[in-house]
Amino acid sequence: MWFDPLCPWAWIASRWLLEVEKVRDVDIRFHVMSLSVLNEGRDLPEEYQELMNKGWGPVRVCVAVEQQHGQETLAKLYTAMGTRIHLGKEQLGPELFKAALTDVGLDPALAGVADTAEYDEALRASHEAGMRPVGTDVGTPVIHAPGPDGRQVAFFGPVITPAPKGEAAGRLWDGVLLVAGTPGFYELKRSRELGPIFD
């Protein structure tokens, strides 16, 4: 799964995938994509552009952690960061990054990469690896999974709220793989009536 820590829908989907891992034979691996990279050069409303400007920090920290400490530690950091952002409603910035790094036993000084381009090449490479198979007219979450013929399928979503638990999570996984693995299937959508529910 490719995520941006800012996205509440990616956060909910990630919690769903962790439930799926308990009831299906899957191994979830988290990777970083960036809404700030995705939206570079686009004409955005001022408020959203401000969010995209702030969005560089958390993804830079995440990529630095993945590069230095591996995917398992990245997954732990995503949980720590997402818990603070989406459940704790903490403000993005150095204090949040330091606290999340400390939560997973890492040096809080690593938060300093949020304001540098040191890991931007790795960030862009991770983003590209996630988005190339699915296209650029979607956001996050993006999931890559084995299709019915063993070849990879990639898709945006699902956008769900709240995250299904137990066997309900497994059934949704089964259905998502079914439609995503159908040749020529592109979209299934309805209007959202609920905002993100974090439980």
Side-chain angles (χ1 to χ4, degrees), residues 38-59:
L38 184 70
N39 287 294
E40 275 183 314
R42 293 185 180 177
D43 186 23
L44 303 170
E46 185 177 340
E47 186 177 319
Y48 194 70
Q49 184 59 61
E50 286 178 24
L51 181 62
M52 293 301 94
N53 293 342
K54 292 179 183 177
W56 288 96
V59 291

Side-chain angles (χ1 to χ4, degrees), residues 9-89:
W9 302 107
W11 171 253
I12 293 170
S14 73
R15 301 309 97 179
W16 161 66
L17 286 173
L18 293 174
E19 284 289 312
V20 171
E21 203 171 35
K22 297 174 187 175
V23 296
R24 295 293 185 272
D25 185 20
V26 296
D27 178 21
I28 305 303
R29 295 182 190 148
F30 292 103
H31 305 274
V32 183
M33 66 83 68
S34 170
L35 291 169
S36 299
V37 170
L38 184 70
N39 287 294
E40 275 183 314
R42 293 185 180 177
D43 186 23
L44 303 170
E46 185 177 340
E47 186 177 319
Y48 194 70
Q49 184 59 61
E50 286 178 24
L51 181 62
M52 293 301 94
N53 293 342
K54 292 179 183 177
W56 288 96
V59 291
R60 285 170 169 163
V61 173
C62 285
V63 166
V65 165
E66 182 180 31
Q67 294 285 302
Q68 293 185 24
H69 302 282
Q71 280 192 334
E72 285 186 22
T73 306
L74 171 64
K76 292 175 185 173
L77 180 66
Y78 181 33
T79 292
M81 201 179 276
T83 298
R84 290 177 173 280
I85 292 169
H86 302 295
L87 305 183
K89 306 296 183 198

Side-chain angles (χ1 to χ4, degrees), residues 102-114:
T102 301
D103 289 344
V104 297
L106 297 176
D107 184 352
L110 193 53
V113 302

Side-chain angles (χ1 to χ4, degrees), residues 57 137 144 174:
D137 59 344
H144 297 191
D174 298 339

